Amino acid sequence: MFENIDLGAILEEKTRELVKGLLNFIEQLSSNLREARAENQRLRDEVNRLKGEQGKPDIKGNVEAEASKDHSSEKERKKPRKRQKKEKTVTIVIDRKEVVRVDQAILPADAIFKGYEENVVQDILLKTDNVCFLKEKYYSPSMGQTYLAELPSGYRGQFGPGIKALVLAFYHGGLMSEPKIIEFLENVGIQISKGTLSNLLVKGHEEFHAEKEAVYEAGLASSTYQHIDDTSTRVNGQNQSCHVVCNPFYTAYFTKPGKDRLSVLDVLRQGRKRVYLLNAEALAYLDGMPFSEATRCILEAWRSEMVMEEEVFLHELDRRIPILNKQHRSAVLSAAAIAAYHAECGVSIVQTLVCDDAPQFKWLTRWLALCWVHEGRHYKKLEPVVALHQTLLKDFLTRFWAYYDRLLEYRQRPTTVDAVRLDAEFDALFGTPSGYAELDKRMATTLAHKGSLLLVLKFPELPLHNNPAELGARGRVRKRDVSFGPRTEDGKQAWDTFMTLAATTKKLNVSFYEYVRDRILKKNSIPPLSELILNAASQLLPAQQTFSLACP
């Protein structure tokens, strides 16, 4: 019925606007109906659950039906690239060479030796290397003291560096569960208990924890921007949040009880003790809050350039404004904490966050770069039922991703002329009404985020999406699916530390297993990861400096 409607063919303007309004009304009714059906099903399931019955089974649809619900933009965003198969044998380390000889009995008398033909075969040896150390023991009667030889580095306890490194690599790098690691070791011939394995994974890793902190400090100093995201996690059965911060050189994990703005700020401040500063910047953040006139006068009178410790600030806040509600109190604490963060000296202050539009990421940094992929998902979630609106949405998405491609090209060769042109194209793309009300509403929201979406025009080194942080969060999700969650604070710290080190070594092209083994043996033949991060970042520094001079 609505498939062949052409609004352009309706000459009378009032009639055309009426038809347009009716079509949008149909879309609104269809959307309300979908929401009502989903809510009704949820309520039915809850009623059945309370009766002790089961709800509607979650039966997966066929491929076509599932594809229609897919909100991913990978198909539109990614462009096909010609792939060239790499020569694998170039990077293979040869451990030994063995000559394979031809049976002389089958050779004719006139056969002439023509050299060798190489055939590289990869293999691995899995066998025990159990050692019985005979430690020399001396006793000095004159000194009354016994002297006992020390074991080599890495051989403290009942298990050597090979097993210690392997279980850490399996658990954190390979995402294996503890029962499967025990099963593997038993098949090789190693006898180990569940408790001992848990201790190997969780306890006695102070040096690794220290290197993780150094990695994060170097990572914050290595780039003008940081990606950030979070995902839920469980600690001893309780809900917490895992915060992921990264850039091209590292990925760091931090598990915190909450995901509010102050928790995110604690992550960016590397866990330093909270401090507060109620200066002009902090009061500017609070301009949009619906405070009473009396509260605003108190805050203005309290304004100061003195940084306060948390206990002092909280005491002063309770004394001056004792009746603040929870939302207003949280806003004051956040504003003062962020102002104090921006005033800190001698530490890395993040200038730009690349993230989604979650409220906890706002105010924290000078610049906020929103993810274009997240923005595209909002349009993919629209489900028009009118054929005209389906066509309008499809055409818009084509233009959306074409504009995204032009931004990618601009990042490679930025010019002032192109920046001005792309700025105007943004206004035309998102500021021109389509007639499809839901699409126009979404475009208006995107237009309101123009400054954060087009920050790349000022800083071309900024990425256009937040995929690195999302991939980091996905790593924690997979780990959570396999091992559910740590049960102790030591376990939580171990998860954060080794997931950080595993992800960072991968970005630095360092074997995580070899890195762990190197540190356990105390060889330190692999340089500190923080040093590798800064060395990798220094190669991009000249280009960033040039751009900063061009765009102050």
Side-chain angles (χ1 to χ4, degrees), residues 202-270:
V202 170
K203 296 183 178 180
H205 298 312
E206 287 73 18
E207 293 181 0
F208 287 110
H209 297 323
E211 183 147 16
K212 183 243 184 171
E213 296 302 320
V215 162
Y216 186 45
E217 184 176 351
L220 292 177
S222 66
S223 174
T224 58
Y225 68 89
Q226 304 292 330
H227 293 275
I228 192 167
D229 200 1
D230 55 59
T231 185
S232 60
T233 191
R234 304 272 281 180
V235 179
N236 196 25
Q238 301 299 313
N239 291 329
Q240 295 197 18
S241 291
C242 177
H243 302 265
V244 183
V245 186
C246 64
N247 67 22
F249 314 110
Y250 84 105
T251 298
Y253 294 83
F254 303 89
T255 300
K256 299 288 183 181
K259 56 183 291 185
D260 57 288
R261 188 177 286 118
L262 285 178
S263 296
V264 178
L265 185 62
D266 288 340
V267 170
L268 297 181
R269 295 185 66 249
Q270 300 169 262

Side-chain angles (χ1 to χ4, degrees), residues 367-398:
W367 307 104
L368 197 69
L370 291 183
C371 173
W372 276 85
V373 174
H374 272 87
E375 197 66 27
R377 289 175 189 165
H378 293 300
Y379 294 97
K380 293 294 289 288
K381 291 179 181 179
L382 297 178
E383 299 180 4
V385 296
V386 176
L388 174 62
H389 294 167
Q390 293 172 356
T391 301
L392 290 173
L393 178 59
K394 182 179 179 181
D395 292 343
F396 172 81
L397 285 173
T398 300

Side-chain angles (χ1 to χ4, degrees), residues 229-527:
D229 200 1
D230 55 59
T231 185
S232 60
T233 191
R234 304 272 281 180
V235 179
N236 196 25
Q238 301 299 313
N239 291 329
Q240 295 197 18
S241 291
C242 177
H243 302 265
V244 183
V245 186
C246 64
N247 67 22
F249 314 110
Y250 84 105
T251 298
Y253 294 83
F254 303 89
T255 300
K256 299 288 183 181
K259 56 183 291 185
D260 57 288
R261 188 177 286 118
L262 285 178
S263 296
V264 178
L265 185 62
D266 288 340
V267 170
L268 297 181
R269 295 185 66 249
Q270 300 169 262
R272 297 188 295 274
K273 190 176 180 179
R274 289 180 183 176
V275 291
Y276 297 86
L277 174 61
L278 194 67
N279 59 3
E281 179 187 354
L283 294 179
Y285 291 136
L286 300 175
D287 281 345
M289 293 298 298
F291 290 127
S292 67
E293 192 62 32
T295 299
R296 290 195 179 279
C297 290
I298 294 173
L299 290 173
E300 184 63 36
W302 187 11
R303 185 172 65 175
S304 170
E305 295 299 326
M306 181 178 67
V307 176
M308 301 183 187
E309 299 291 335
E310 184 170 31
E311 292 182 2
V312 176
F313 187 83
L314 293 179
H315 174 75
E316 193 69 13
L317 179 62
D318 292 336
R319 185 182 70 82
R320 291 174 180 263
I321 322 177
I323 57 173
L324 271 181
N325 63 40
K326 183 178 180 180
Q327 181 183 8
H328 290 176
R329 180 183 176 87
S330 176
V332 172
L333 292 175
S334 296
I338 292 169
Y341 169 58
H342 292 168
E344 287 186 281
C345 298
V347 294
S348 297
I349 306 298
V350 179
Q351 297 298 318
T352 305
L353 279 182
V354 182
C355 56
D356 57 29
D357 195 34
Q360 66 266 25
F361 300 135
K362 298 176 181 178
W363 295 5
L364 295 174
T365 54
R366 182 181 181 187
W367 307 104
L368 197 69
L370 291 183
C371 173
W372 276 85
V373 174
H374 272 87
E375 197 66 27
R377 289 175 189 165
H378 293 300
Y379 294 97
K380 293 294 289 288
K381 291 179 181 179
L382 297 178
E383 299 180 4
V385 296
V386 176
L388 174 62
H389 294 167
Q390 293 172 356
T391 301
L392 290 173
L393 178 59
K394 182 179 179 181
D395 292 343
F396 172 81
L397 285 173
T398 300
R399 288 182 282 118
F400 181 99
W401 292 113
Y403 182 79
Y404 176 87
D405 290 339
R406 290 194 290 275
L407 288 178
L408 290 177
E409 294 173 1
Y410 170 83
R411 291 183 70 243
Q412 302 302 318
R413 295 176 296 276
T415 65
T416 304
V417 174
D418 287 338
V420 173
R421 175 179 56 81
L422 288 168
D423 185 278
E425 288 182 8
F426 183 95
D427 292 336
L429 176 61
F430 298 102
T432 304
S434 67
Y436 173 21
E438 290 299 315
L439 175 59
D440 292 343
K441 182 179 178 181
R442 185 63 241 174
M443 288 195 299
T445 303
T446 300
L447 191 62
H449 293 155
K450 176 181 177 180
S452 295
L453 288 168
L454 287 189
L455 193 59
V456 67
L457 298 183
K458 184 176 179 63
F459 304 110
E461 72 270 18
L462 293 178
L464 295 178
H465 56 73
N466 198 33
N467 283 6
E470 287 203 347
L471 291 174
R474 190 179 302 172
R476 171 54 69 96
V477 171
R478 290 175 176 170
K479 178 66 177 169
R480 184 184 67 204
D481 290 342
V482 172
S483 302
F484 190 62
R487 295 188 294 271
T488 64
E489 288 298 314
D490 287 340
K492 180 174 78 172
Q493 186 180 21
W495 272 43
D496 287 346
T497 290
F498 286 105
M499 289 194 71
T500 295
L501 298 175
T504 301
T505 51
K506 184 176 181 179
K507 286 188 173 181
L508 297 173
N509 294 321
V510 174
S511 165
F512 178 57
Y513 169 75
E514 292 296 338
Y515 157 78
V516 173
R517 192 169 186 273
D518 176 81
R519 294 300 189 263
I520 291 175
L521 289 171
K522 301 188 182 302
K523 290 183 176 181
N524 295 321
S525 57
I526 297 176

